[in-house]
Amino acid sequence: MLSTPVVLIAFNRPQLARRTLAAIREAAPARLFLVADGPRADRPDDAALCAETRAVFDEVDWPCQVERRFSDVNLGVEGNVELGLDWVFEQVPEALVFEDDCTPDPTFFPFAEELLDRYRDDQRVWQISGNRHGVPRKLYQGDSYAFSTWASVWGWATWADRWQRHRAVFPRDHVRRSATDAGDAPTRTVPAVPAPGTLVTRAGQRHFAEAARSSDVVTHGWDKHWWITIMSEGGLAIAPSGNLVVNSGFGEDATHGYSPGREDDPAEPMEFPLRHPAEVALNVEVERELELHLNRVGGPAAQLARKVIKSPRLRRAARAAVNSRPAKGAARVASRMAQRS
């Protein structure tokens, strides 16, 4: 039985919630937090789908303490995640977090649990990730993971004190104060300024500078603001050398991430015992790859392509082109040259 609490965040996709719950069942956490958003008023199908998703949670059949936070109204992705994690971290000091479309390999649980214990008192480390976003394994130089400035939240883990530090400087409360108020505009108590050396590409610097000042919570959601806090504090995330969590949430029922034909890399079980980096320090080459990945999927060219290219077939072709080995190699070389200049 897994001693570290697990959080499962869901909305209206019962099949994905069932798949991820099945993976969590294998780890059998002693404490399970279930966070579910409410139906949207303008979507007639939501009520039934939300009810069906919550019914999936009745399938918890191992001995554990189950905590539920089910919203009667629709909070949106931002509110459901942030308020849900506020609720969780008021009760426990650390947790593994999964959204319904992020299905973990069994080895992610001991990987995350070991690193939560190892870096619990090291305030430089903020996050443990389960997805490597295609970073070449050779860049890890035989280690089980590397330290980066940002890392995926497609299955991740953190500590309550880090999350609460983030929310202290990013305290949006998602309260709708009028019928037209979305209630989720980004709000910071202090300016977000990445610490020197935390970002290693100009594309990454531009991307996070835009995210820090943008009010667009679709393009720059709660996860970007979490990473912005990390880099403003000069913190580090842990990026695994293998893909320990698979994201299946790119279909038409995705709230923000609809991407026809896109598929995540398959799972790659972690080998134990873990091989730890020699020091707690930024791996510049892994960070570079993560920033270049972010630019490929969320940079200006990617945003323009999503607006212009409507055909799923052409989108797949464009995605294959930008993710080809020559294209990635050229971007890598250009980034290193720009950094040297």
Side-chain angles (χ1 to χ4, degrees):
M1 179 170 281
L2 185 75
S3 60
T4 306
V6 170
V7 184
L8 177 53
I9 301 172
F11 173 36
N12 68 351
R13 298 183 288 185
Q15 295 306 317
L16 291 178
R18 179 172 284 110
R19 180 190 303 176
T20 300
L21 183 64
I24 293 171
R25 178 182 290 111
E26 291 189 37
R31 196 167 185 185
L32 178 65
F33 290 85
L34 301 170
V35 178
D37 202 2
R40 294 165 290 190
D42 60 343
R43 300 293 182 91
D45 295 339
D46 267 4
L49 289 171
C50 288
E52 188 177 348
T53 300
R54 296 175 187 198
V56 168
F57 294 152
D58 293 333
E59 298 172 13
V60 175
D61 57 1
W62 67 92
C64 70
Q65 180 179 346
V66 180
E67 314 279 358
R68 292 175 170 83
R69 188 182 192 276
F70 294 170
S71 179
D72 294 329
V73 299
N74 184 257
L75 300 170
V77 173
E78 307 294 295
N80 194 44
V81 172
E82 289 183 346
L83 299 178
L85 292 181
D86 289 347
W87 169 71
V88 169
F89 288 126
E90 287 171 354
Q91 303 176 67
V92 296
E94 57 201 34
L96 281 66
V97 183
F98 304 97
E99 293 184 65
D100 56 3
D101 53 7
C102 298
T103 306
D105 179 85
T107 59
F108 177 63
F109 296 96
F111 171 78
E113 192 165 57
E114 179 174 339
L115 297 183
L116 283 169
D117 180 65
R118 183 180 181 90
Y119 296 109
R120 181 176 296 118
D121 298 323
D122 190 332
Q123 294 295 316
R124 294 171 294 179
V125 184
W126 284 61
Q127 174 188 328
I128 299 160
S129 180
N131 187 288
R132 69 185 177 99
H133 282 325
V135 175
R137 188 182 288 271
K138 66 181 180 181
L139 297 182
Y140 292 83
Q141 300 179 322
D143 291 335
S144 300
Y145 59 94
F147 293 102
S148 57
T149 295
W150 77 277
S152 174
V153 290
W154 293 352
W156 60 296
T158 193
W159 301 265
D161 60 350
R162 276 69 148 188
W163 179 257
Q164 290 161 357
R165 282 169 65 187
H166 164 58
R167 294 290 279 149
V169 297
F170 190 68
R172 60 176 173 180
D173 57 14
H174 302 280
V175 173
R176 288 169 168 79
R177 295 173 174 82
S178 71
T180 58
D181 180 15
D184 59 2
T187 304
R188 284 191 178 270
T189 59
V190 294
V193 181
T198 55
L199 295 168
V200 301
T201 70
R202 292 180 180 174
Q205 292 161 3
R206 285 194 303 268
H207 187 96
F208 283 107
E210 176 190 338
R213 62 176 179 265
S214 175
S215 60
D216 178 0
V217 298
V218 175
T219 304
H220 303 298
W222 70 267
D223 49 355
K224 299 274 184 73
H225 291 285
W226 161 246
W227 298 325
I228 287 168
T229 298
I230 293 174
M231 60 187 67
S232 296
E233 294 282 337
L236 296 166
I238 286 175
S241 62
N243 209 46
L244 305 179
V245 181
V246 177
N247 188 328
S248 304
F250 304 113
E252 293 183 358
D253 54 359
T255 302
H256 291 163
Y258 176 49
S259 186
R262 182 178 174 185
E263 292 183 357
D264 195 7
D265 293 333
E268 302 167 291
M270 180 61 67
E271 294 182 359
F272 293 88
L274 297 182
R275 295 188 58 176
H276 304 283
E279 58 180 336
V280 180
L282 181 71
N283 183 316
V284 171
E285 293 307 316
V286 169
E287 175 62 25
R288 184 190 313 281
E289 291 294 320
L290 286 167
E291 290 178 29
L292 292 176
H293 164 81
L294 192 61
N295 190 54
R296 285 193 297 272
V297 301
Q303 293 180 43
L304 178 62
R306 277 193 285 272
K307 292 178 181 178
V308 173
I309 304 174
K310 301 301 182 183
S311 164
R313 180 177 62 83
L314 292 178
R315 281 194 177 189
R316 285 193 292 270
R319 190 180 302 117
V322 299
N323 285 293
S324 66
R325 184 174 296 179
K328 287 183 176 180
R332 194 176 297 128
V333 170
S335 167
R336 289 174 180 150
M337 292 178 62
Q339 186 180 11
R340 285 196 293 269
S341 66

